[in-house]
Amino acid sequence: MIRRKPLSIKTRLLLTNIGFVFFAFLWIILIFNILINSYISNSASRQLSQVRIYQAQVTPPSGSTSADLEDAPRGSFNTHPVAFNINDNYEVQDLEKVGNFERDTANNIAQALKNQKVPLSKVKNYRLDTSGSTFYIETIRQSSGLYQVLYVDITGIINFTNSVNLFLVSVALAVIVILSLAVTFVTQRLIKPLSILAKFATRIGQGDFTEYQGSFQDRELATLAHNMNVAARQLDHN
């Protein structure tokens, strides 16, 4: 049977403390992301629901499809809701009624829905990632046979979440580095006297019973040195 070489005190302390910090921050990051994603989803769903109610209560003016949403509820993230029409083939309709800023976004969303084969009749509070942006969208079947795609852009809050994750990882790494230096300093102070006592024990085992004359600041080490001196005297007298 092959026996593994025992780990040093320094290595054990480092592994224990680094492992504790790693798993502590892992849980913090995991819980943070679960909570923030749940909050984002619920907030987006609430905003989309409020916008649908708003649309049902007001008469859309002529012009841009998204103009009637100018005064629609902004939600917790102060995001402006936007709408455009799409047919069953995922083709954006009435592009001339879509604002210039939203036109590319509408085409990107339509293409992403098509690529992901998302049934237009079942899109409700659906999170969609496309072209570096993140949206929550819903579709509403209209009497014309087209679908109105209602969306809110949450890219800003997602970028903020990623920044917080990066910050937490940076803090974890900094804590690990500082902790490693602290453990190294503490174990060095502990290992040096233990090495002295180990040499003293080796000397006793070789028949040299000369007592150790040094002293230690730590009570446990001082007690151990005293007991080893007592043993050395008893062996010397035998």
Side-chain angles (χ1 to χ4, degrees), residues 174-225:
V175 170
I176 288 175
V177 171
I178 295 173
L179 190 60
S180 298
L181 294 175
V183 169
T184 300
F185 175 75
V186 172
T187 54
Q188 194 65 31
R189 293 190 60 186
L190 178 63
I191 291 172
K192 185 176 180 180
L194 287 176
S195 299
I196 294 174
L197 292 175
K199 292 179 181 179
F200 180 31
T202 300
R203 186 158 50 82
I204 293 174
Q206 294 174 346
D208 182 357
F209 305 123
T210 305
E211 296 184 23
Y212 176 70
Q213 300 300 323
S215 61
F216 299 101
Q217 295 179 347
D218 298 306
R219 182 174 59 186
E220 292 81 4
L221 294 174
T223 300
L224 178 58

Side-chain angles (χ1 to χ4, degrees), residues 23-221:
F23 284 106
F25 273 91
L26 182 64
W27 275 106
I28 291 173
I29 293 173
L30 180 63
I31 292 173
F32 167 75
N33 280 275
I34 290 175
L35 293 178
I36 193 67
N37 286 328
S38 176
Y39 174 71
I40 291 173
S41 178
N42 291 335
S43 297
S45 177
R46 186 163 53 251
Q47 182 181 4
L48 291 172
S49 177
Q50 291 172 345
V51 172
R52 289 200 309 273
I53 295 174
Y54 171 84
Q55 284 183 307
Q57 293 175 344
V58 299
T59 302
S62 60
S64 172
T65 304
S66 59
D68 60 324
L69 300 180
E70 191 66 33
D71 297 324
R74 294 292 184 114
S76 303
F77 310 128
N78 196 32
T79 50
H80 180 237
V82 183
F84 63 90
N85 293 330
I86 190 174
N87 62 19
D88 290 320
N89 294 322
Y90 300 90
E91 297 170 340
V92 180
Q93 304 297 298
D94 305 322
L95 278 176
E96 69 279 0
K97 296 182 181 181
V98 179
N100 292 330
F101 180 76
E102 294 93 359
R103 189 168 300 172
D104 291 338
T105 301
N107 285 322
N108 288 336
I109 290 176
Q111 188 61 45
L113 290 172
K114 182 177 181 180
N115 292 340
Q116 297 179 20
K117 299 180 180 180
V118 180
L120 294 177
S121 60
K122 298 182 180 179
V123 179
K124 183 176 178 60
N125 199 38
Y126 182 78
R127 176 168 171 162
L128 183 70
D129 296 288
T130 175
S131 301
S133 300
T134 304
F135 308 93
Y136 268 93
I137 65 176
E138 287 192 6
T139 57
I140 303 171
R141 184 77 172 186
Q142 298 179 315
S143 57
S144 62
L146 299 177
Y147 287 92
Q148 182 191 61
V149 178
L150 182 65
Y151 73 87
V152 289
D153 189 342
I154 61 165
T155 305
I157 188 63
I158 293 299
N159 290 338
F160 170 76
T161 301
N162 293 335
S163 298
V164 172
N165 285 327
L166 181 60
F167 173 75
L168 290 175
V169 171
S170 299
V171 171
L173 292 176
V175 170
I176 288 175
V177 171
I178 295 173
L179 190 60
S180 298
L181 294 175
V183 169
T184 300
F185 175 75
V186 172
T187 54
Q188 194 65 31
R189 293 190 60 186
L190 178 63
I191 291 172
K192 185 176 180 180
L194 287 176
S195 299
I196 294 174
L197 292 175
K199 292 179 181 179
F200 180 31
T202 300
R203 186 158 50 82
I204 293 174
Q206 294 174 346
D208 182 357
F209 305 123
T210 305
E211 296 184 23
Y212 176 70
Q213 300 300 323
S215 61
F216 299 101
Q217 295 179 347
D218 298 306
R219 182 174 59 186
E220 292 81 4
L221 294 174

Side-chain angles (χ1 to χ4, degrees), residues 222-232:
T223 300
L224 178 58
H226 171 74
N227 292 338
M228 291 178 69
N229 279 332
V230 171

